[in-house]
Amino acid sequence: MGTSEAVLHVLSGAVPQFLSSDMCSSNSDLVFYSKCHIKSVKKKGSRRLPSLKCSSMSGCQIGSYRCKRLGGGLHGNTAIDRLTLLRCKCQQAESASGVDTGEGNGAWFVDNAKKLNLNGSMNSEDILEFKTVEQLKRENEVSMSNGKVGTGTNTIFTGGVDSVEDEAWELLRASMVYYCGSPVGTIAANDPTSSNVLNYDQVFIRDFIPSGIAFLLKGEYDIVRNFILHTLQLQSWEKTMDCHSPGQGLMPASFKVRTVPLDGDDSATEEVLDPDFGEAAIGRVAPVDSGLWWIILLRAYGKCSDDLSVQERVDVQTGIKMILRLCLADGFDMFPTLLVTDGSCMIDRRMGIHGHPLEIQALFYSALLCAREMLTPGDGSADLIRALNNRLVALSFHIREYYWIDMRKLNEIYRYKTEEYSYDAVNKFNIYPDQISPWLVEWMPNKGGYLIGNLQPAHMDFRFFSLGNLWAVVSGLATIDQSHAILDLIEAKWADLVAEMPFKICYPALEGQEWQIITGCDPKNTPWSYHNAGSWPTLLWQLTVACMKMNRPELAAKAVSVAEKRISKDKWPEYYDTKKARFIGKQSRLFQTWSIAGFLVAKLLLADPNAAKILTTEEDTELVNAFSCMISANPRRKRGPKRSKQTYIV
């Protein structure tokens, strides 16, 4: 089947298709196993989707990666059985630990670690912190004894390194997850003090982003490449949650590597990738941000490694288009922003962010720019790019104009008239001035501003949400002046947003009756804890990227120095509690991987500020001109019923 035919076939309703024998070939020495094929597996008493199986002998051999097309479409009236599993027959019973002393995975890892000098910036010691096969085997046995096949070690860091940064690298590598001998991600947390694992032993797309960026900046590209391709294989495989299924193109929130008995053979085992699309998550909410982060990481991989072959693959191009079509689908919403439910992003519990939360809009904008840069011309791309460009202009205008707040805009809202009906209304969303909270009047500095957390009819969420504001700077969703103003506000409100551990996820906390009503009396989201204005060290890397883009590295360096004083002593917590971040979170996991990775990314970017360009995006001239035309004469311009040839929804 030709390439163009394949694209048309996939876009018409089939799953991403793996078309050639070298689809998964790599310039690295990572192993992809021979005789790969896809087939349907059904067992009495259980339901499964078609599974990816990789057959091998006891010593996994290097071979071509050849996969047949999955049977059946992913949408329509056809119901698809579920559990989704990617399977690999590579673990024999006699070497179930994953490492043997012959030619198994342990020897492979040692040999190939020595060869992975990709850009001269690392050596075998950087890649292989634990230098012997015997030690690898012991660590895997510890992991097996705790039921975590394929995850990293489960040991507490005991010191013996020269710096906090060295300790962080050892912990990050200890959290690596392996599938068929190849690294495919990092687990969410490796806390040996916690008996209640929940889903912290899984690989989360959202959580892996700082880990992936750290590995890219270190020159270790293969784990990121494997992560991108394996999560792509999980895309759009329908979940079952009370007989409902998500739109095609959804990326899973997380996946887990499991070792299970081989079908029909009690003497051998196999590894499977088991994804979670939200059907097992607390609250059962599908992750809107997973696909957006996946696109951002894909672009970063290409820019950092100079390997554009991954993003040019037919299946990867199809995956990008499926995510875009899901996000750009028409609906009843009148805004250019993305309408989502509460809990669909980093703030994954009920926190009153349903509607059009800033975090999703900033990631959406960034993903659109990244996708436009990576999409290759071809059948079906022209209409998609046209819709993408129109959405970019409308989205940027909407956020910059209606989400922005500073002292001037706050005073304007204070004097709003309500019940305005006309095309040229100033108070377009019928915002009531009484919504301005007393805390905001006192908190807003004279110099600086920020993008509010949410905007809906008759409602403005004035809380400061860190990730959305920082990524608006990184992506260019905020203008240059607005970006500097956001950093000015962070500097002015340092005692509130940074305090004794960066960085406050939002400000201020919901308290009293407001907390009871909005969170439903959530015992984990108590005021100044967790997502209710807790402090999250992982946000340090996003702050650093924003500071590097705006050429203000001193701000990031100051925040890193604050974190460095205690984060290692506190054993790398997930989050901190209290208004000043003085206590480790009451339910915070220790040795949280994205806290570790966020610190490392911040340190790497401080050492090489130019590296931040793999994440930042700039508007092109056409987009800037289109936006300028919309606000050139009067930002409160009249919008009559007559439409020009090219229109934008604002």
Side-chain angles (χ1 to χ4, degrees):
M1 184 184 295
T3 301
S4 60
E5 291 179 61
V7 173
L8 287 173
H9 180 77
V10 172
L11 291 179
S12 67
V15 240
Q17 183 175 352
F18 308 98
L19 297 169
S20 66
S21 61
D22 61 348
M23 271 296 183
C24 297
S25 62
S26 169
N27 293 328
S28 71
D29 290 313
L30 291 177
V31 175
F32 282 103
Y33 302 92
S34 61
K35 301 182 181 178
C36 287
H37 59 282
I38 297 177
K39 67 178 182 181
S40 298
V41 176
K42 291 187 178 180
K43 293 180 67 178
K44 185 177 181 180
S46 66
R47 297 188 302 164
R48 296 183 181 178
L49 267 178
S51 304
L52 180 63
K53 290 194 173 186
C54 301
S55 304
S56 69
M57 304 302 291
S58 60
C60 296
Q61 304 295 319
I62 298 176
S64 61
Y65 192 83
R66 294 167 34 193
C67 303
K68 298 180 182 179
R69 173 172 167 249
L70 283 170
L74 285 176
H75 57 85
N77 297 323
T78 303
I80 299 183
D81 288 340
R82 172 85 175 127
L83 179 67
T84 303
L85 294 175
L86 292 181
R87 310 167 70 88
C88 174
K89 302 177 186 177
C90 64
Q91 298 277 348
Q92 299 302 318
E94 61 270 20
S95 59
S97 67
V99 181
D100 54 37
T101 56
E103 295 300 322
N105 293 339
W108 168 85
F109 187 67
V110 174
D111 293 340
N112 286 277
K114 295 176 180 177
K115 299 175 185 176
L116 285 173
N117 188 11
L118 295 174
N119 64 358
S121 62
M122 62 180 187
N123 53 42
S124 60
E125 292 184 357
D126 290 328
I127 299 171
L128 196 58
E129 293 289 341
F130 307 97
K131 300 178 182 178
T132 65
V133 179
E134 289 75 20
Q135 189 169 354
L136 275 170
K137 185 173 181 179
R138 287 197 300 271
E139 290 163 355
N140 257 313
E141 289 171 351
V142 171
S143 180
M144 285 285 292
S145 66
N146 286 281
K148 297 182 183 179
V149 179
T151 65
T153 63
N154 197 29
T155 56
I156 302 177
F157 182 79
T158 57
V161 292
D162 296 330
S163 68
V164 175
E165 198 170 349
D166 292 336
E167 175 190 342
W169 274 115
E170 287 204 16
L171 291 170
L172 181 60
R173 292 197 172 95
S175 71
M176 290 169 66
V177 174
Y178 293 85
Y179 176 59
C180 303
S182 301
V184 293
T186 52
I187 57 174
N190 208 2
D191 184 359
T193 66
S194 176
S195 58
N196 188 14
V197 176
L198 292 176
N199 56 356
Y200 282 83
D201 62 342
Q202 298 188 24
V203 180
F204 282 81
I205 289 184
R206 178 190 308 128
D207 293 36
F208 179 74
I209 301 303
S211 296
I213 300 302
F215 285 123
L216 288 177
L217 295 177
K218 195 71 170 176
E220 302 176 24
Y221 307 134
D222 287 313
I223 185 173
V224 180
R225 185 181 190 277
N226 293 341
F227 173 86
I228 289 169
L229 295 178
H230 280 297
T231 50
L232 176 66
Q233 293 167 8
L234 299 173
Q235 182 190 30
S236 293
W237 289 21
E238 294 188 6
K239 69 173 184 178
T240 298
M241 210 288 284
D242 295 338
C243 303
H244 292 284
S245 298
Q248 189 181 36
L250 183 73
M251 282 288 190
S254 63
F255 66 87
K256 182 178 177 65
V257 178
R258 301 183 188 275
T259 297
V260 298
L262 190 63
D263 290 341
D265 187 355
D266 296 334
S267 63
T269 60
E270 58 182 349
E271 287 185 345
V272 300
L273 290 181
D274 184 10
D276 176 17
F277 288 87
E279 70 268 43
I282 296 173
R284 302 303 192 264
V285 179
V288 177
D289 59 345
S290 289
L292 305 178
W293 277 123
W294 184 86
I295 290 176
I296 293 168
L297 183 64
L298 175 63
R299 173 182 178 266
Y301 170 82
K303 281 191 165 295
C304 194
S305 67
D306 292 326
D307 176 17
L308 302 183
S309 64
V310 174
Q311 66 189 46
E312 292 170 354
R313 289 170 43 147
V314 174
D315 55 334
V316 174
Q317 286 287 311
T318 301
I320 296 173
K321 292 174 183 177
M322 290 169 69
I323 295 172
L324 293 179
R325 292 188 188 282
L326 180 64
C327 294
L328 296 173
D330 293 330
F332 288 99
D333 190 28
M334 293 292 290
F335 297 167
T337 42
L338 207 56
L339 179 63
V340 299
T341 59
D342 225 342
S344 60
C345 52
M346 178 181 174
I347 297 178
D348 57 6
R349 297 171 79 94
R350 181 176 166 187
M351 269 288 289
I353 64 168
H354 54 279
H356 306 84
L358 177 65
E359 175 182 330
I360 290 295
Q361 314 316 320
L363 292 174
F364 181 37
Y365 184 83
S366 180
L368 289 178
L369 286 177
C370 292
R372 185 176 64 173
E373 185 178 316
M374 294 185 293
L375 281 174
T376 57
D379 297 333
S381 295
D383 291 342
L384 191 58
I385 292 176
R386 189 180 302 112
L388 187 153
N389 284 329
N390 288 341
R391 192 63 168 266
L392 279 170
V393 175
L395 180 61
S396 61
F397 178 87
H398 187 86
I399 296 295
R400 294 172 181 181
E401 184 64 17
Y402 302 130
Y403 276 61
W404 181 253
I405 188 171
D406 53 17
M407 278 300 295
R408 181 196 63 79
K409 184 68 177 290
L410 192 60
N411 195 65
E412 181 182 307
I413 296 172
Y414 181 73
R415 293 170 55 83
Y416 267 171
K417 296 178 181 179
T418 59
E419 312 302 325
E420 290 184 295
Y421 176 80
S422 65
Y423 287 104
D424 59 342
V426 174
N427 186 2
K428 288 181 170 61
F429 305 103
N430 201 33
I431 303 300
Y432 307 117
D434 289 345
Q435 288 183 20
I436 300 176
S437 302
W439 72 264
L440 181 59
V441 176
E442 301 298 327
W443 194 70
M444 179 65 72
N446 291 323
K447 180 183 179 183
Y450 66 98
L451 297 167
I452 63 171
N454 212 330
L455 174 66
Q456 299 183 76
H459 172 69
M460 295 182 79
D461 187 345
F462 289 108
R463 286 176 291 175
F464 176 88
F465 286 88
S466 301
L467 195 154
N469 273 277
L470 293 174
W471 210 258
V473 175
V474 173
S475 65
L477 177 57
T479 66
I480 293 177
D481 289 342
Q482 288 174 344
S483 297
H484 278 296
I486 291 171
L487 296 183
D488 287 340
L489 178 132
I490 290 173
E491 195 167 17
K493 296 300 175 181
W494 190 267
D496 293 327
L497 299 176
V498 176
E500 297 190 25
M501 179 58 65
F503 198 82
K504 195 74 70 183
I505 192 170
C506 66
Y507 187 92
L510 299 172
E511 298 184 280
Q513 189 177 30
E514 186 181 30
W515 168 77
Q516 293 177 341
I517 294 171
I518 292 180
T519 73
C521 299
D522 186 349
K524 194 170 185 178
N525 265 339
T526 53
W528 309 106
S529 177
Y530 200 52
H531 293 316
N532 190 12
S535 295
W536 291 70
T538 187
L539 292 171
L540 190 61
W541 77 272
Q542 292 157 350
L543 171 66
T544 305
V545 177
C547 290
M548 295 305 156
K549 180 181 179 181
M550 303 313 298
N551 196 26
R552 297 175 67 168
E554 68 285 348
L555 204 60
K558 183 180 177 183
V560 170
S561 66
V562 171
E564 204 163 13
K565 291 177 182 178
R566 57 181 295 209
I567 191 169
S568 174
K569 296 176 182 178
D570 293 341
K571 298 180 182 177
W572 307 92
E574 180 183 14
Y575 62 93
Y576 286 79
D577 284 356
T578 74
K579 200 169 184 178
K580 298 296 182 182
R582 300 189 68 183
F583 294 164
I584 297 172
K586 190 177 295 184
Q587 298 188 45
S588 176
R589 292 298 195 281
L590 302 180
F591 300 102
Q592 186 79 12
T593 303
W594 70 348
S595 296
I596 297 165
F599 173 79
L600 287 173
V601 172
K603 294 286 285 187
L604 290 166
L605 291 177
L606 284 172
D608 182 13
N610 287 329
K613 292 180 179 178
I614 68 172
L615 293 163
T616 58
T617 51
E618 306 289 343
E619 293 176 332
D620 61 20
T621 306
E622 182 181 352
L623 189 60
V624 173
N625 291 341
F627 179 75
S628 299
C629 291
M630 299 174 76
I631 61 172
S632 56
N634 181 6
R636 304 288 183 269
R637 76 195 193 294
K638 295 181 180 180
R639 181 174 180 240
K642 293 183 179 180
R643 297 178 181 272
S644 60
K645 292 183 179 179
Q646 188 170 9
T647 60
Y648 303 98
I649 299 174
V650 299

